[in-house]
Every structure is written in C-alpha cells, then in structure tokens.
Amino acid sequence: GPMTSTVALGLVPLANAEGLVLIAGTVSTTKLSGKDDHFFRVIGDTALAASTNARFHAGRLGYRRATLIRDDANRDYSEVWASDYQRAFTAMGGKVLATLSFNSQHDKNYAELADALLAPGPEIVVLVCGSVDAALLAQHLRMRDAKVRIAGAGWASTERIIELGGRAVEGMLLEQFFNRDDESPRYRS
C-alpha cells in the first residue's frame, strides 16, 4: 500500500476498480474514512491524531496561542490534520494565530517560514510536515526563539528528525501510534 494520503487517494479508485486490496501503515487522511472499498489502514485517521494533540497542548499543557505550518506536497493529510487540530484547539479555549503552508517539493526558505511562524507570538508552533522539513524548521525556530514549544504531527515522527534536527528538536512533542521500545511479550506477539 501507499505511504502518503495524497498517493492513497490516487490509488484507491484504481485498486477498487481491479478488486485489489490496499493496506497502508501510515495513511491517515479522513478523506478515506467511512468508505466501503478495498482500502485498509492500521492506524487511526487524522481527526483522532490532530484532536488528541490539540487537547494535550491546550488541556494538559495549557497553551492558548499556537501557529501551524503544513506541507502541501501531501495536502490531503496536512490540510485535514491542521483543520482538525485548529477545531479541537479552539474548542479547548486556544487560538491558532496563523496557519502557513509550503510545498516541500519546491524551493523553500526555512528562515522566512520561521520568522512568519513566530511573528504572532505563539506559545507553541505545530509542524505538519515530514521529518526532514520539521528538523530544518525546528533549527530555524530555535535560532530565533529558544523557548517556544515545538510540536509535530506523526509524519515528522521518525528517527531522521533526531538525526537531522539535533539539539533543536530536544523537547519537541511528537505523536506516535506505537511504542517502538516495547519489548513485552504481549506487544511482540
């Protein structure tokens, strides 16, 4: 199966027409939820992930001012995730001060993006992009503001973010659908 929501949305109609089953381990767009088709996923959709993050950021951590940035190269994931996050964050008493977008397949200026994310004065900056872009954005955010909290959607939650982000990603909040370090017999089976 596909790795990204945008690719999945293109493949599902083709698979359905041929009666082929698609199984995806990382696709989470809600645009594929609740359909009678040949597509299966092994994780929850963006509505669950984004709203859980928003409730944690606003409810448990008490943040009230956020900015978001999304990568529109995988817009079917990032746009829905950002929208679901904003809805839940607002319901918890928070305010999304700005939502920016970029496309990782084209030239981008991380310094300018970081400046724009920090300009409204957020307490937390949420990155809805892959690990490479999240790591580079985190570095530029840290150069400008050592104290702002940085969070990332599940798309950024890979080993590469640590490798590429270094100290800039220390303390970053990242969603995870499983415990990579669980050695229990129940988990392994």
Side-chain angles (χ1 to χ4, degrees), residues 78-140:
S78 66
E79 185 176 59
V80 174
W81 197 102
S83 176
D84 289 337
Y85 180 93
Q86 182 165 350
R87 187 173 16 266
F89 192 73
T90 302
M92 295 290 298
K95 183 174 182 180
V96 175
L97 306 170
T99 300
L100 307 176
S101 65
F102 72 101
N103 188 314
S104 60
Q105 295 176 349
H106 300 96
D107 291 334
K108 57 226 163 248
N109 185 321
Y110 294 109
E112 287 178 6
L113 292 171
D115 288 339
L117 285 165
L118 294 171
E123 297 167 295
I124 186 167
V125 176
V126 183
L127 312 176
V128 189
C129 55
S131 57
V132 173
D133 294 298
L136 294 169
L137 280 166
Q139 289 174 348
H140 284 274

Side-chain angles (χ1 to χ4, degrees), residues 13-151:
L14 301 173
N16 287 338
E18 297 297 321
L20 297 173
V21 172
L22 289 178
I23 301 173
T26 56
V27 173
S28 59
T29 183
T30 55
K31 292 179 179 181
L32 291 169
S33 297
K35 301 200 183 283
D36 184 12
D37 57 19
H38 292 87
F39 173 74
F40 298 89
R41 63 173 131 222
V42 298
I43 60 173
D45 64 23
T46 55
L48 172 66
S51 62
T52 300
N53 275 280
R55 287 192 307 273
F56 182 76
H57 298 163
R60 182 134 182 228
L61 300 178
Y63 294 124
R64 293 292 174 257
R65 296 182 326 276
T67 56
L68 280 84
I69 187 166
R70 67 175 199 258
D71 179 358
D72 283 348
N74 187 15
R75 188 176 192 161
D76 295 303
Y77 166 82
S78 66
E79 185 176 59
V80 174
W81 197 102
S83 176
D84 289 337
Y85 180 93
Q86 182 165 350
R87 187 173 16 266
F89 192 73
T90 302
M92 295 290 298
K95 183 174 182 180
V96 175
L97 306 170
T99 300
L100 307 176
S101 65
F102 72 101
N103 188 314
S104 60
Q105 295 176 349
H106 300 96
D107 291 334
K108 57 226 163 248
N109 185 321
Y110 294 109
E112 287 178 6
L113 292 171
D115 288 339
L117 285 165
L118 294 171
E123 297 167 295
I124 186 167
V125 176
V126 183
L127 312 176
V128 189
C129 55
S131 57
V132 173
D133 294 298
L136 294 169
L137 280 166
Q139 289 174 348
H140 284 274
L141 289 165
R142 285 285 165 251
M143 283 187 251
R144 289 155 177 76
D145 186 337
K147 295 185 185 204
V148 70
R149 192 64 181 262
I150 304 172

